[in-house]
Amino acid sequence: MAVAERTRADRPIVKGRMYHIDLAPGEIPPYVLLPGDPARVDRIARSWDSFEVLRQHREYRSARGVYKGAPIAALSTGIGGPSAAIAVEELAEIGVHTLIRVGTTGAIQPWIKPGDVIIASAAVRYDCASSEYAPPEYPAAAAPDAVLALAEATKRLGLRFHVGVVASTATFHLGQSRPGYRGYTWSAAERRIDDLRHMGVLSFEMEAATIYTLASLYGLRAACICAAIANRVTNEFVPDAGVEDAIRAANEAVRILWSLDTLRGGYKREATISDLAAALGKLS
Ligand code: URA
C-alpha cells in the first residue's frame, strides 16, 4: 500500500512543489502574467517566441517561455480574490517578483468602448480576500513602474487605453450591481455601480485588489491590464474584445521591466522616469 507523503500543514509543499500551483522554486522566471482563465495561459504562451506549458492543478495552469529576449511566465489565478491570493502567496515563495494581471473587465464609464484596455493604478477593495490581510484603510495600489511600463506598451502598440482606479468585487453578479437569480437584489448592491461611477472608477473586475494588496505587503511589483469586454452604461458585452491587445501590451511591459531590472542589476521597488527611459533606450 502506498504511504501518503507527510508535509507541513502551515506551508504545504509536496515533493518540493507549492501545493496549489504545483511549481517549485526557480522553475519559472520572476516575471509572471496572471490571467484568470486557465485556457488563456496557452493563448498567452503562443504569443511568445518559445514556450513550454508546465503544470495544471485545479485552476492553476502554468507556462514559461521567452518573449523578445525576456524570460516570462504565465499562471492562471482562477476567478476572484481567494484563488488569486493563493497564487500570489505561492509565487512569492518560489521567487517571483513581478506580477502582471492580464484580464477582462466591465467598464462603468460611458466613454470606454468594448475592446479598449484599462490599466489599473489602484483597486477598490470589494474583493473580500484582501480584508483577511490588512484593514480597509490599507490601499490596493499598483507599482508605479509597472503601470508606466504598461502605459508605454499600450501607447507604442497604438491601443485605446485608460489608466485609473478599478473596483475588484468578490462576486460577478450582486457585487457588480447585476441582479441575481430571479432578479434578486438589495439596496447596497443596486447602488454600488452608480456610487463608483460618480467617484470616477473606470470598471469592475475581480482580482486586482487582492493581488495589489498582497504584492504591497510582500514588496512585490504588481499591475493589471484588462480588456473592457463589457460596458455597463451602454449594456454591451463583446466576450473577446481587446483580449489579444491586452496580452500584447502585457508582454511588452514585461520586456520593459526586464530591461529596467537588467540595467540596475535586479528588481528594486524604487524607479524613476530616467531609469525607465534608460531601459527603453536599451530596447529600441
Ligand atoms: N469581468 C468582470 O468582472 N466583469 C465584467 O463585467 C466583465 C469582465
Side-chain angles (χ1 to χ4, degrees), residues 22-227:
D22 200 18
L23 292 170
E27 197 173 3
I28 56 169
Y31 303 89
V32 182
L33 304 187
L34 299 175
D37 181 358
R40 210 168 294 140
V41 168
D42 299 62
R43 181 170 177 181
I44 291 170
R46 283 195 296 272
S47 71
W48 301 336
D49 302 315
S50 60
F51 73 92
E52 183 185 359
V53 173
L54 294 172
R55 323 286 297 182
Q56 165 101 46
H57 183 227
R58 298 180 181 229
E59 58 267 72
Y60 305 106
R61 185 170 175 82
S62 53
R64 68 178 170 209
V66 177
Y67 173 75
K68 295 188 186 170
I72 192 165
L75 174 77
S76 52
T77 61
I79 296 178
S83 59
I86 290 173
V88 177
E89 285 286 355
E90 295 190 355
L91 286 171
E93 208 68 57
I94 63 168
V96 165
H97 56 60
T98 297
L99 305 164
I100 308 290
R101 166 163 153 70
V102 190
T104 56
T105 194
I108 62 172
Q109 299 294 347
W111 62 83
I112 301 175
K113 298 188 171 70
D116 288 2
V117 294
I118 294 179
I119 299 164
S121 53
V124 182
R125 290 177 49 201
Y126 287 136
D127 59 312
C128 292
S130 66
S131 56
E132 298 204 341
Y133 281 77
E137 294 80 7
Y138 189 91
D145 58 355
V147 170
L148 282 176
L150 282 168
E152 181 67 28
T154 49
K155 185 180 160 199
R156 286 178 172 213
L157 290 168
L159 308 178
R160 263 179 65 93
F161 72 101
H162 313 269
V163 180
V165 177
V166 301
S168 305
T169 62
T171 62
F172 184 80
H173 293 89
L174 275 285
Q176 299 187 4
S177 297
R178 288 184 175 92
Y181 179 55
R182 292 184 174 154
Y184 172 76
T185 190
W186 66 302
S187 57
E190 272 187 325
R191 276 201 310 272
R192 181 176 281 182
I193 189 166
D194 291 333
D195 287 348
L196 290 172
R197 187 181 299 124
H198 182 66
M199 294 173 204
V201 170
L202 299 180
S203 66
F204 282 126
E205 60 79 67
M206 297 181 68
E207 293 82 16
T210 311
I211 295 169
Y212 288 5
T213 302
L214 271 67
S216 293
L217 293 171
Y218 298 155
L220 310 176
R221 169 201 269 155
C224 165
I225 183 163
C226 284

